[in-house]
Amino acid sequence: MKREQVPQDDENLMDGRGRELCYAVDENGNYVQVLSSGWAPKNAALLQAWAQINEEAKEALIRVKAGKVSPLAFFMARGMFDVALLSAYLDIPKRNIRAHLEPDNFRHLDDAMLGKYAEAFNISVDELVNWSETANILLKEKWSEFLRKDSRRDGDE
Amino acid sequence: MTIDFRHSQSAHCENGSTSNLLRYYGVDISESLAFGIASGLFFAYMPFMKHNNLAATSFRPLPGMIFKRTAASLGIKIYRKKFRSKEASMTALDQALDQNIPVGLQVGVFHLTYFPRPYRFHFNAHNLVVYGRENGQYLISDPVMENVESLTYEDLMRVRWARGMFEPRGQMYYPVEVPAEIDLPRAIIRGIRKNCRDMLSIPFPFFGVKGIRYVSRDIKKWPEKLGEKKAPLYLGHFIRMQEEIGTGGGGFRFIYASFLQEASKILNKPRLRELSQAMTEVGDRWRDFAVIAGRIIKKRNSDAETYPAMSAILSEIADREHLIFSELKKTIP
């Protein structure tokens, strides 16, 4: 890759957190470090991963709203937690988590337990309790909307 | 309390923390040198091992290897410790900082507050250096970030105790003894030799050049075997391993080419510079491969941009890398 070919396909996936470093050759064939704000193929792969996560989260949300499963299911899908990982984070047995996935049990959780879940999911207890609202906000994050944006430039050159 | 530590951005977190930590002790090696000395270039494809239902693919050796191998090769003694309790891991960190020791840490990125949100997966093999404490904040030199960052006690403890694959368990590391004389040429030669072995001679079909050939054969079958929905997910996963933050582009091939260029000067072997150029060209082919994959993911591929086309590129890459490492072996016997 030549220095002037280092892509700058910024789709705001760095979340306003600066650029990443790449290696490329200058006009004399010497390696130099160049900052890049993104590259279309890799952006596509990352956005695809989020589209997949969001699809699973939406499916979970439908089951939550139908009362088949507790709101934990949505946050687990969205946060990529399976029961084993969540059990490790909360330091409680897996069967407890499976129990809390029952809507009735979830409604009776105390604040301490809700706090543990909220911490693992990186949200506040309020956001966990008001899960419907939170779900709407999370599903609207800009980088979740990959497949819906058709007007975007191609930009993989 | 702050340590006079120079933050320097790198492509890959472990190269970067290694090179930044060593530089603090007067061992001035670049990210590329750290990577090459540690024989950092690798390839593994293990479709029978699934991670989130996707085939395990890696362009690097196991986490922790870069620092370990680079230090060992340069004769630097290191302190490395995992902990049983969270509090103990924080106390040990504080004690090291009190002695003006910048400390390398393995952390998870899921709860890493300053990390770009779209990149916060459950990835636990991230590396950073803590170089001080100020107003209740830990000062962080994260090698992949442009600027220095900071974290509270709770936030730092949380990422040091991330759970799941490659659990850090508070792991911290730093050099404790640096020899007066560093034998850089010897370390470079050893690094290249080991990398030739890793890429050419592991007797399983999943690793090194053989692993690339394996994907090249397998990828043609993905659409049929996995179906129209899952095949692009496999592609996406592959591209993320190849290009996501940390590889410097082209699955580390450009960093390795940069290493060969530096090695050529240090060892005074012009042939290495030629091989560096060949490696750059292979890196470009990995990028060509990713461009097709990216278009297939976005359903914008032309008629020529297909799974067989990607298979052909990978096969060519395997041939080229076989040649490069065979030549390297001859150059550094």
Side-chain angles (χ1 to χ4, degrees), chain B residues 15 27 41 178 217 243 250 284 288:
Chain B
N15 303 336
V27 183
L41 200 76
V178 179
R217 285 193 305 271
E243 297 295 335
D284 288 335
D288 293 341

Side-chain angles (χ1 to χ4, degrees), chain B residues 264-281:
Chain B
S264 157
K265 267 189 226 144
I266 295 167
L267 301 177
N268 197 19
K269 280 190 188 291
R271 177 75 182 130
L272 290 181
R273 196 179 162 94
E274 291 163 21
L275 291 171
S276 158
Q277 203 185 331
M279 186 56 85
T280 305
E281 286 162 16

Side-chain angles (χ1 to χ4, degrees), chain B residues 41-287:
Chain B
L41 200 76
F42 195 48
F43 184 80
Y45 174 67
M46 294 172 280
F48 49 88
M49 253 176 74
K50 297 280 195 285
H51 186 221
N52 293 331
N53 284 324
L54 300 164
T57 308
S58 182
F59 286 81
R60 51 171 286 182
L62 284 175
M65 285 316 221
I66 307 262
F67 184 70
K68 200 172 149 188
R69 288 181 185 163
T70 305
S73 214
L74 294 169
I76 295 164
K77 287 207 181 102
I78 59 176
Y79 165 95
R80 177 190 284 278
K81 194 172 173 180
K82 288 188 179 186
F83 296 85
R84 281 173 195 278
S85 103
K86 296 182 180 180
E87 288 71 24
S89 74
M90 294 306 281
T91 309
L93 170 65
D94 287 342
Q95 283 166 351
L97 292 174
D98 287 342
Q99 295 169 53
N100 281 324
I101 298 170
V103 178
L105 296 179
Q106 185 192 333
V107 300
V109 301
F110 186 78
H111 289 106
L112 194 56
T113 47
Y114 62 76
F115 214 61
R117 281 172 304 160
Y119 287 93
R120 276 193 229 159
F121 295 98
H122 293 284
F123 172 69
N124 291 336
H126 189 58
N127 286 270
L128 51 79
V129 176
V130 183
Y131 66 97
R133 228 172 357 177
E134 221 171 56
N135 309 323
Q137 298 269 327
Y138 286 88
L139 307 176
I140 311 286
S141 160
D142 185 322
V144 304
M145 304 303 289
E146 261 187 275
N147 303 306
V148 291
E149 304 285 345
S150 63
L151 289 174
T152 63
Y153 180 92
E154 286 74 23
D155 286 344
L156 183 58
M157 186 158 80
R158 200 141 68 122
V159 294
R160 292 182 73 189
W161 288 86
R163 305 300 302 264
M165 204 155 95
F166 302 128
E167 278 179 10
R169 305 205 66 82
Q171 173 147 221
M172 58 185 254
Y173 54 88
Y174 49 81
V176 283
E177 209 183 298
V178 179
E181 289 274 319
I182 290 284
D183 192 347
L184 203 49
R186 177 171 161 270
I188 291 172
I189 287 168
R190 283 176 49 167
I192 293 178
R193 275 189 199 144
K194 173 158 175 50
N195 227 141
C196 292
R197 284 200 301 275
D198 288 351
M199 289 302 287
L200 298 176
S201 315
I202 299 181
F204 293 98
F206 321 112
F207 306 112
V209 169
K210 286 188 214 118
I212 304 172
R213 286 200 212 287
Y214 189 178
V215 194
S216 160
R217 285 193 305 271
D218 216 23
I219 201 170
K220 277 187 283 198
K221 302 180 215 146
W222 283 2
E224 202 183 318
K225 208 164 75 181
L226 303 165
E228 216 169 287
K229 178 136 175 59
K230 194 146 191 204
L233 285 173
Y234 262 56
L235 270 187
H237 177 67
F238 198 96
I239 297 310
R240 278 170 46 215
M241 296 302 113
Q242 181 188 320
E243 297 295 335
E244 208 156 82
I245 301 187
T247 74
F252 295 105
R253 267 60 190 170
F254 297 134
I255 299 187
Y256 200 74
S258 161
F259 159 70
L260 289 177
Q261 205 167 71
E262 282 194 57
S264 157
K265 267 189 226 144
I266 295 167
L267 301 177
N268 197 19
K269 280 190 188 291
R271 177 75 182 130
L272 290 181
R273 196 179 162 94
E274 291 163 21
L275 291 171
S276 158
Q277 203 185 331
M279 186 56 85
T280 305
E281 286 162 16
V282 177
D284 288 335
R285 292 303 277 157
W286 280 106
R287 304 277 278 190

